[in-house]
Amino acid sequence: MGALDGIRVLSFNHFLSGPAAAQHLGDLGADVIAVEPLTGAFQRNWAVGNRFVDDTSVNHMTTGRNKRSIAVDLKAPEGIAAVKRLIANADVVMENFRPGTLDKLGLSEEEMRRVNPAIIYATTTGFGADGPYAKRPGQDILLQAMSGLAAHTGSMEHGPVAVGSVPIDHHAAALTVTGIVAALFERQRTGKARRVEVNMLQAAMDLQGESITAWMNGAEHDGPRGSDGMANWFSPAPYGIYATTDGFVMISMSKPADLARALDLPEFLEFSEKDGFDRRSEVSRKVGEGMAALSTDQALEKLAAQGVWHEVVQDYDALPANPQVRHLQAFTEAKTQGGSPMVMLSHPVRYDGVAPEVRLTPQPLGGQTREVLAEAGFADDEIDTLLAAGTVVQTDRMRG
C-alpha cells in the first residue's frame, strides 16, 4: 500500500525531469500511465553513455519503473479521442513539452478540464509558460550557465565548470512531485483542481538558495568562485578538496586551531574562526601544502584525531561497497525484460522505515496498451480497430 494508492496519473513526459517526477509518484503507489508516441518517448530511445542493456536504455532504467505504458498516435483524431477517454478517469495529467505543444494537438488544458473538471494539470518547462524565454529549450547544462551555477562552480584560477551530473533536472522533478502532492491534498480538502507549474530556471536558482541569497544581500566576495583550493566563494577556509600523495580528501568547515594541530601548522594556532573568512586564501594554501606531504591514510588519521570534518573523494565505483549505502539499501537490483541484471537507485525516502517496492520494472513500449484502454471502457472490438489502424500499438520492444 502506498500513500497515492487509487490516484491515476497520465504522464506525457520525455527526457528526464518529467519522467523522474512521474516515477516518484509511481513509487508512492499512484497508477502512472506513460502516454508515449508510437516510436517511444525520448528516454526509451536515447541513453547516457549510449548504454543499453538488452535494448533497455539506462535512462529508461533511471525513470521508467512503476509505470504502465500505452503508445498512441497523437496526430490521429482517433488517438486524441482515445486519450480524452483516459483523461476522463485520471486524477493528474503531467507533461514537460514546450508551452503550447499539446494545445496544437487538441489537448489544451482547457480541453482537458472540459473532459474532466477535477483534473490536476502539472507542467514542467524550461523557463515557464510565458515570458521572453518561454519557447527556449530548457536543458540542464544550459540552465547551469544561465542561473549562475556554472559561474559559481570551479575555481577563480581555472574558470567556470559545469556540474558533472544533471542536478537541475532532478531538482525540478522533486519540485514537480511536491506541487502535485500539494494539489492533490488541496483538492481533497476544498474540491479545487489546481494547475501546477514548475520551471527549470527557478529550480536551478532554488538549488542555489543559500549562495544566491547571500550574494544578493551583500555578502563580501572577491569573485564568483573560490580560489587557492576553496570550493566556493562564501565559506571559511579550508572548505574544499585537497590532494594527498595518493588521492584527494574533502575538508569541510573547521577551526584553524584544529587544522594547525592536525597538519602541524603552528602559525594557525592563534587564528580565530573569523580569520577563516578573512584570510581564507592563506589558510587554504597552507592546508594544501600540509595535505600534499601526507598519504590519504595518514591525512585521515590526523584529521580524525582533531575532529576535523573530512571525507575521501571517491568515484561511483565505491558506492556499492559503502557500508551506509548498503545499510540503506540505496540500490535495487532487478532483471531487464530480456533477463539481464540491472541496477537502479532505490526510492530515496522511507515510510515507517521502509522504502516503496518496485512493482513494475521499466516496461516495453505500449506494454499495457490493451489493458489501459479496457480499463477506460473500450470494448475489445474497439481496441482491435485501433490496433489494426496503427492508432495505438502494443509491443514487447524496449525501443521504438
Side-chain angles (χ1 to χ4, degrees):
M1 297 293 288
L4 297 183
D5 282 357
I7 298 297
R8 178 163 291 183
V9 178
L10 297 185
S11 170
F12 295 82
N13 287 303
H14 58 149
F15 294 105
L16 179 57
S17 65
Q23 176 174 273
H24 281 304
L25 296 173
D27 288 351
L28 292 175
D31 175 18
V32 177
I33 300 168
V35 183
E36 303 188 55
L38 299 181
T39 53
F42 176 86
Q43 68 275 9
R44 182 186 289 281
N45 295 305
W46 185 90
V48 168
N50 198 31
R51 178 60 175 163
F52 292 79
V53 180
D54 285 344
D55 242 14
T56 302
S57 158
V58 292
N59 286 60
H60 192 35
M61 291 182 196
T62 302
T63 64
R65 69 166 176 257
N66 290 335
K67 302 176 186 178
R68 297 189 288 169
S69 171
I70 177 171
V72 186
D73 182 358
L74 294 181
K75 295 182 179 178
E78 296 82 2
I80 294 298
V83 166
K84 287 181 180 179
R85 287 174 68 173
L86 300 183
I87 292 170
N89 295 309
D91 295 283
V92 179
V93 168
M94 306 172 63
E95 56 96 355
N96 66 336
F97 295 105
R98 293 192 202 181
T101 299
L102 286 181
D103 296 33
K104 295 175 184 176
L105 296 173
L107 289 174
S108 65
E109 180 185 357
E110 181 181 8
E111 178 61 16
M112 292 188 195
R113 292 197 183 282
R114 187 191 67 76
V115 173
N116 182 353
I119 202 78
I120 289 166
Y121 185 87
T123 176
T124 306
T125 60
F127 300 92
D130 48 33
Y133 293 171
K135 299 296 185 182
R136 286 194 180 190
Q139 191 179 32
D140 191 288
I141 200 166
L142 303 180
L143 272 300
Q144 289 189 39
M146 181 179 288
S147 69
L149 182 56
H152 286 260
T153 304
S155 67
M156 291 302 295
E157 293 87 351
H158 296 103
V161 173
V163 177
S165 60
V166 284
I168 299 169
D169 272 310
H170 285 289
H171 189 51
L175 294 174
T176 300
V177 173
T178 300
I180 289 172
V181 172
L184 286 167
F185 183 62
E186 182 178 4
R187 190 184 68 177
Q188 182 181 28
R189 288 191 305 116
T190 69
K192 185 173 181 60
R194 292 282 188 182
R195 173 188 173 94
V196 176
E197 295 184 46
V198 173
N199 70 79
M200 290 179 65
L201 176 56
Q202 283 188 280
M205 295 169 67
D206 187 66
L207 195 63
Q208 305 169 78
E210 180 185 52
S211 54
I212 289 178
T213 301
W215 186 280
M216 294 298 175
N217 286 279
E220 292 186 10
H221 53 271
D222 295 325
R225 296 175 297 283
S227 60
D228 298 296
M230 289 291 294
N232 60 43
W233 62 272
F234 56 84
S235 293
Y239 199 86
I241 296 173
Y242 297 89
T244 63
T245 59
D246 58 354
F248 297 88
V249 176
M250 181 78 78
I251 299 179
S252 185
M253 294 182 291
S254 309
K255 296 178 182 178
D258 292 337
L259 289 161
R261 287 186 286 268
L263 300 177
D264 192 22
L265 299 171
E267 60 268 42
F268 290 164
L269 283 170
E270 302 303 321
F271 273 36
S272 68
E273 292 186 46
K274 186 174 183 296
D275 287 325
F277 282 105
D278 297 343
R279 303 172 72 173
R280 56 167 65 96
S281 290
E282 178 186 352
V283 172
S284 190
R285 281 196 302 270
K286 286 292 186 180
V287 168
E289 292 170 7
M291 291 289 287
L294 303 172
S295 70
T296 298
D297 286 344
Q298 290 171 329
L300 298 182
E301 182 179 356
K302 289 177 177 290
L303 294 170
Q306 297 301 322
V308 175
W309 291 2
H310 64 280
E311 188 54 68
V312 177
V313 176
Q314 302 178 80
D315 200 349
Y316 294 152
D317 289 337
L319 287 172
N322 183 302
Q324 190 64 28
V325 170
R326 295 176 68 177
H327 171 75
L328 293 170
Q329 299 179 317
F331 288 111
T332 294
E333 297 182 0
K335 299 287 187 182
T336 66
Q337 295 295 315
S340 295
M342 65 175 170
V343 178
M344 299 177 287
L345 288 177
S346 304
H347 183 83
V349 182
R350 292 185 174 197
Y351 307 87
D352 291 335
V354 180
E357 65 180 350
V358 176
R359 305 186 310 279
L360 283 173
T361 56
Q363 292 294 295
L365 172 62
Q368 291 77 31
T369 292
R370 180 178 286 276
E371 173 182 294
V372 168
L373 291 175
E375 290 173 0
F378 285 80
D380 287 345
D381 61 335
E382 290 181 290
I383 298 174
D384 291 339
T385 298
L386 290 171
L387 288 166
T391 303
V392 301
V393 297
Q394 178 155 329
T395 81
D396 58 3
R397 303 192 311 271
M398 297 308 293
R399 295 201 226 186

